[in-house]
């Protein structure tokens, strides 16, 4: 049973920083693509950043230069360092992962990020 456990969300002022973590469990061979998506109220879920197992990344233009995705394959953990946060970054952030050998996408429960003064 694959599980994704997210942590690190919260309330931060504009210009501040947060670091999200997502630990994945339940795949003996580990995980291939891992990443982060977000969904703001009234909007569709959108890609924030993804990383392949080898470290190749895809980052949304809206966060490029402010957010950095990284991962620790030994721990099956993916991180999202968010700097220079803006009110428009407010959303529920979801971790996403694919188990090795599977095309099924797994999702975390989501963690709220609120950017407000």
């Amino acid at each position: 049973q694959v599980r994704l456990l997210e942590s690190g969300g919260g309330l931060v002022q504009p210009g501040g920083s947060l670091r999200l973590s997502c630990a994945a469990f339940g795949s003996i061979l580990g995980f291939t693509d891992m990443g982060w998506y977000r969904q703001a109220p009234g909007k569709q879920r959108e890609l924030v950043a993804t990383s392949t197992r080898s470290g190749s990344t895809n980052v949304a233009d809206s966060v490029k230069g402010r957010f950095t995705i990284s991962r620790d394959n030994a721990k099956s953990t993916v991180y999202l360092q968010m700097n220079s946060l803006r009110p428009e970054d407010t959303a529920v952030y979801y971790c996403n992962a694919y188990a090795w050998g599977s095309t099924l996408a797994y999702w975390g429960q989501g963690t709220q990020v609120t950017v407000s003064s």
Side-chain angles (χ1 to χ4, degrees), residues 12-61:
V12 64
Q13 293 187 342
S17 297
L18 283 175
R19 189 190 194 211
L20 305 183
S21 299
C22 172
F25 304 91
S27 174
I28 294 175
L29 298 179
F31 296 85
T32 55
D33 289 4
M34 301 182 74
W36 295 93
Y37 290 71
R38 68 185 181 185
Q39 188 166 18
K43 295 188 176 181
Q44 289 189 334
R45 190 172 297 189
E46 63 177 4
L47 179 147
V48 177
T50 60
S51 172
T52 67
R53 189 175 178 88
S54 62
S56 295
T57 61
N58 180 29
V59 181
D61 287 343

Side-chain angles (χ1 to χ4, degrees), residues 31-106:
F31 296 85
T32 55
D33 289 4
M34 301 182 74
W36 295 93
Y37 290 71
R38 68 185 181 185
Q39 188 166 18
K43 295 188 176 181
Q44 289 189 334
R45 190 172 297 189
E46 63 177 4
L47 179 147
V48 177
T50 60
S51 172
T52 67
R53 189 175 178 88
S54 62
S56 295
T57 61
N58 180 29
V59 181
D61 287 343
S62 59
V63 305
K64 200 167 290 184
R66 300 188 297 122
F67 291 11
T68 302
I69 187 170
S70 61
R71 60 188 287 175
D72 184 335
N73 291 329
K75 297 180 179 179
S76 294
T77 299
V78 63
Y79 306 96
L80 186 68
Q81 178 66 43
M82 305 185 293
N83 298 329
S84 302
L85 282 160
R86 304 168 180 170
E88 54 264 38
D89 296 317
T90 295
V92 178
Y93 284 70
Y94 295 92
C95 178
N96 166 272
Y98 290 84
W100 190 273
S102 172
T103 58
L104 181 64
Y106 293 94

